[in-house]
Amino acid sequence: LPLGDYLRNNGLVEEKEMISCYAELFNLPIIETITEKMADPDVLSRIPLKFLRDQIVIPVKQDDTILLVTSQPSDFQPLDELNLLLGGNTKIGVATRPHIIDAINRYYPLEGTK
């Protein structure tokens, strides 16, 4: 169990505090809101829904850059896999798990997924 999960699960730290710490530690932007404009269906349809839900990560477009939004930036493997799958040159942002899950549920294109 990662330290962040342990701290969260035992009520020792709030989700927003963890995200702020990760943002400062890794010098990453905090993504407060994931909008429909950011959620590109073409990008999302390249990744299995199960992967996004299991890893609690969502790729979004921001200023012509693909941003991998995660609540666990220290979990490098899924971020590396997504970066490769999306052709490289992605950046990382952090958001709370509820924000990411809500965005996945709201914007994942259920029709036409590969």
Side-chain angles (χ1 to χ4, degrees), residues 1 8 10 19 21 26 36 51 57 72 76 80-81 86 89-90 100-101 107:
L1 185 67
R8 254 192 307 266
N10 289 289
I19 296 307
C21 289
F26 294 109
E36 187 173 358
F51 181 88
V57 61
Q72 292 284 359
F76 302 113
D80 287 345
E81 288 175 18
L86 296 172
N89 294 326
T90 63
I100 296 167
I101 292 166
Y107 304 124

Side-chain angles (χ1 to χ4, degrees), residues 20 44-46 53-54 71 77 89 93 97 99 102-103 113:
S20 293
L44 286 171
S45 67
R46 290 195 253 166
R53 285 201 171 140
D54 289 349
S71 64
Q77 183 177 353
N89 294 326
R97 290 160 21 143
H99 277 107
D102 179 59
T113 45

Side-chain angles (χ1 to χ4, degrees), residues 17-114:
E17 292 172 313
M18 282 297 300
I19 296 307
S20 293
C21 289
Y22 280 135
E24 188 175 329
L25 180 66
F26 294 109
N27 194 27
L28 300 172
I30 296 174
I31 309 303
E32 298 284 343
T33 310
I34 298 171
T35 64
E36 187 173 358
K37 183 181 172 196
M38 295 167 75
D40 185 320
D42 293 334
V43 173
L44 286 171
S45 67
R46 290 195 253 166
I47 299 130
L49 179 58
K50 182 173 177 14
F51 181 88
L52 298 179
R53 285 201 171 140
D54 289 349
Q55 303 304 325
I56 310 176
V57 61
I58 186 169
V60 299
K61 279 203 169 173
Q62 189 177 55
D63 303 324
D64 294 325
T65 301
I66 295 177
L67 194 64
L68 306 178
V69 182
T70 180
S71 64
Q72 292 284 359
S74 59
D75 192 2
F76 302 113
Q77 183 177 353
L79 298 174
D80 287 345
E81 288 175 18
L82 268 182
N83 184 49
L84 283 172
L85 187 64
L86 296 172
N89 294 326
T90 63
K91 297 194 181 208
I92 298 172
V94 290
T96 62
R97 290 160 21 143
H99 277 107
I100 296 167
I101 292 166
D102 179 59
I104 292 169
N105 291 338
R106 213 181 269 207
Y107 304 124
Y108 191 84
L110 295 177
E111 294 175 22
T113 45
K114 297 175 185 170

